[in-house]
Amino acid sequence: MDSARYVTDVPYARRYVRELSPAWLDFTALICGFQPPPRGSGFAWCELGCGHGVTPALLAAAHPEGRFIGIDLMPQHVEFAERLCREAEITNASFQAVDFAATQALDLPRFDYVVAHGVYTWVDASAQAELLRFAGRHLKPGGLLYLSYDCLPGWAGDMPLQHLLRVLTERAQGDSIARLDSADKIVTALQGLGADVLRLGAMGREWEELRGKLPPSYFVHQFLPPAWKPLYVTELRQAVSGIGLTPIGSATIRENVDAFTLDRPARELVAAASDPDLRELLRDYLLQKRFRRDVFGRDVPALDEATVRARICGSTFMLSHPQDATVPFNHPSAQALLALLEGGAAAPIALADQGHSIDALVAQIIALASAGRTWPVAADPDREGIERVNAVLRRRTGTPDEIAFTMLPSGMAIDREDR
Ligand SMILES: C[S@@+](CC[C@H](N)C(=O)[O-])C[C@H]1O[C@@H](n2cnc3c(N)ncnc32)[C@H](O)[C@@H]1O
């Protein structure tokens, strides 16, 4: 792929994306009533457009029983990921510096999980089709596909801002960051002169503040890819149905429970629509959604309610970092769960013999996860692998190779500043 199709002169931010972990995807499947991929005898996981490979490398360190593969167009991203794995002695992650279109020639296994975060709506139609073809070829029956993307109608207000940035940067000089800076000067000046159409969307309204807060590479990769185009959920679902996959749910946990996001009249209006894709579209209009984390599956078995409840109670959770207690929980089972997790990652089932019903534990852990108070995490992460990665991450602090994350004993990685 050439630079006319994607921004390749500015490396992408190095980050760990927690929603891509097997534990998180399994929990998403469970709360939607589906069986997570069986992982008893190991599993295979692949990230398309893996950037610097931080997520696959860190997951691989915590999961020696899994095989992790990252695919990315930019050789410098892949080289960075390979060096990280060498230094941290991670032997179960490997990387390929190829365009999605070239993956057909690779000898790759079938995967239990295929994930692509922040990629789909930033690449052109042919790369989107290649990405889906890969998932169609390589996802096992019972496997999960995670796709995140910018969506409409939430982005509608910012479309004039995005268009202007693209036009201005195309005509400016220098690398992507220099071109963005010169475009930004004109955008800011126009805003100051009353071009309020540039303040219609969430991004435009806080433009100056966000430019000061987020790194320039974020804006380059958000606004400059020539193919960037947000999609309606119905469009995305139609494309994914073409490879034989069906919707499972959202890796943004709260979006799976209407009661947490919609009031009663809105819920009634959504429920009255007979088509599930239309219901999802109506939710997006009500919530003005601009980013979705959709999970799809190939022939994923549905589970009965008792099995779902038992599996959720047996799953492992930790308290999120930093704890945001703005949503108070006064249910005794929620308070007991929070107290349990104060002592470290644990499964809700530990409270079952203390007078809490399975129903209450399940309802409250879903509510806590939806409110961002708890995160699903691995049941038995490899402590030695985690320590080896942390030693490398500490050594790199303050160097050009810094990755500003640290791994917790639960296998979750958090921004070092949130510690
Ligand atoms: C916005 S970044 C997201 C990186 C990572 N998933 C994350 O969220 O941190 C998109 C990545 O997709 C890669 N990419 C874009 N088009 C591609 C293609 N056609 N084939 C392979 N990789 C591609 C880019 O090099 C870039 O690293």
Side-chain angles (χ1 to χ4, degrees):
M1 176 187 268
D2 55 52
S3 55
R5 288 175 65 206
Y6 196 76
V7 177
T8 49
D9 65 340
V10 176
Y12 197 68
R14 297 163 192 160
R15 61 179 181 181
Y16 175 84
V17 182
R18 56 178 169 261
E19 291 87 356
L20 307 185
S21 69
W24 197 288
L25 295 170
D26 288 1
F27 181 56
T28 301
L30 281 175
I31 59 178
C32 297
F34 291 97
Q35 180 177 293
R39 291 203 260 132
S41 51
F43 65 93
W45 179 105
C46 178
E47 180 170 15
L48 299 168
C50 67
H52 289 89
V54 175
T55 306
L58 271 49
L59 283 175
H63 288 281
E65 77 283 15
R67 178 175 178 196
F68 293 82
I69 289 176
I71 293 173
D72 201 281
L73 172 71
M74 289 173 70
Q76 66 264 47
H77 284 171
V78 163
E79 193 274 324
F80 183 94
E82 288 175 337
R83 202 151 37 81
L84 173 61
C85 288
R86 271 197 307 277
E87 272 182 57
E89 296 167 49
I90 296 164
T91 54
N92 55 330
S94 58
F95 297 88
Q96 299 282 347
V98 291
D99 193 317
F100 302 137
T103 52
Q104 235 173 348
L106 302 175
D107 181 22
L108 293 176
R110 299 238 271 169
F111 296 99
D112 300 278
Y113 306 90
V114 173
V115 302
H117 181 74
V119 179
Y120 195 80
T121 37
W122 288 262
V123 298
D124 63 22
S126 87
Q128 288 178 345
E130 291 295 348
L131 186 155
L132 289 184
R133 263 199 282 280
F134 180 94
R137 276 196 311 273
H138 285 282
L139 196 67
K140 285 184 192 169
L144 299 177
L145 167 70
Y146 165 107
L147 276 184
S148 68
Y149 56 101
D150 277 345
C151 69
L152 288 164
W155 265 101
D158 279 317
M159 296 305 271
L161 168 67
Q162 197 272 343
H163 181 76
L164 186 61
L165 282 169
R166 279 272 320 286
V167 170
L168 291 171
T169 51
E170 272 165 19
R171 286 159 175 73
Q173 301 293 319
D175 66 9
S176 292
I177 290 183
R179 288 187 288 121
L180 179 79
D181 283 346
S182 74
D184 181 10
K185 287 198 182 74
I186 298 176
V187 165
T188 307
L190 280 169
Q191 284 190 332
L193 291 168
D196 288 342
V197 71
L198 293 171
R199 293 186 194 278
L200 287 182
M203 190 71 85
R205 266 195 302 279
E206 294 179 29
W207 180 245
E208 278 188 67
E209 204 182 316
L210 290 170
R211 281 284 283 151
K213 205 164 80 184
L214 300 169
S217 63
Y218 166 79
F219 294 93
V220 165
H221 285 272
Q222 176 62 48
F223 287 106
L224 269 50
W228 180 81
K229 182 174 175 286
L231 291 172
Y232 289 99
V233 60
T234 38
E235 298 175 302
L236 192 278
R237 284 188 173 193
Q238 195 179 2
V240 175
S241 75
I243 54 163
L245 306 191
T246 48
I248 296 288
S250 171
T252 305
I253 302 299
R254 67 173 181 281
E255 291 180 357
N256 298 296
V257 189
D258 282 348
F260 295 152
T261 54
L262 303 177
D263 64 10
R264 186 189 292 266
R267 289 203 297 275
E268 286 172 0
L269 185 142
V270 169
S274 56
D275 168 11
D277 293 352
L278 177 58
R279 286 202 289 276
E280 204 55 29
L281 185 67
L282 296 180
R283 288 183 182 100
D284 284 3
Y285 273 80
L286 284 160
L287 299 170
Q288 297 184 37
K289 249 184 256 170
R290 46 199 281 134
F291 189 70
R292 292 184 56 98
R293 298 180 178 88
D294 288 358
V295 180
F296 296 88
R298 179 193 291 293
D299 304 328
V300 180
L303 296 174
D304 62 72
E305 270 186 39
T307 307
V308 166
R309 282 198 295 269
R311 296 226 17 201
I312 289 177
C313 263
S315 303
T316 307
F317 297 86
M318 66 174 281
L319 289 183
S320 59
H321 278 278
Q323 265 289 292
D324 174 2
T326 26
V327 183
F329 279 81
N330 71 353
H331 192 289
S333 297
Q335 290 185 344
L337 282 162
L338 291 169
L340 170 74
L341 301 181
E342 281 286 346
I349 196 71
L351 295 172
D353 59 0
Q354 292 177 29
H356 300 277
S357 72
I358 297 285
D359 280 1
L361 290 172
V362 169
Q364 294 307 313
I365 198 70
I366 292 175
L368 288 166
S370 297
R373 300 285 298 270
T374 62
W375 290 331
V377 289
D380 188 21
D382 185 57
R383 296 287 166 91
E384 285 177 18
I386 291 170
E387 242 335 289
R388 278 197 301 273
V389 168
N390 277 339
V392 173
L393 297 175
R394 277 194 300 272
R395 255 201 323 269
R396 289 183 171 200
T397 308
T399 73
D401 289 338
E402 177 163 5
I403 301 164
F405 281 81
T406 188
M407 285 191 87
L408 301 174
S410 62
M412 175 66 76
I414 58 167
D415 206 308
R416 201 170 297 138
E417 287 184 4
D418 291 338
R419 258 236 99 139

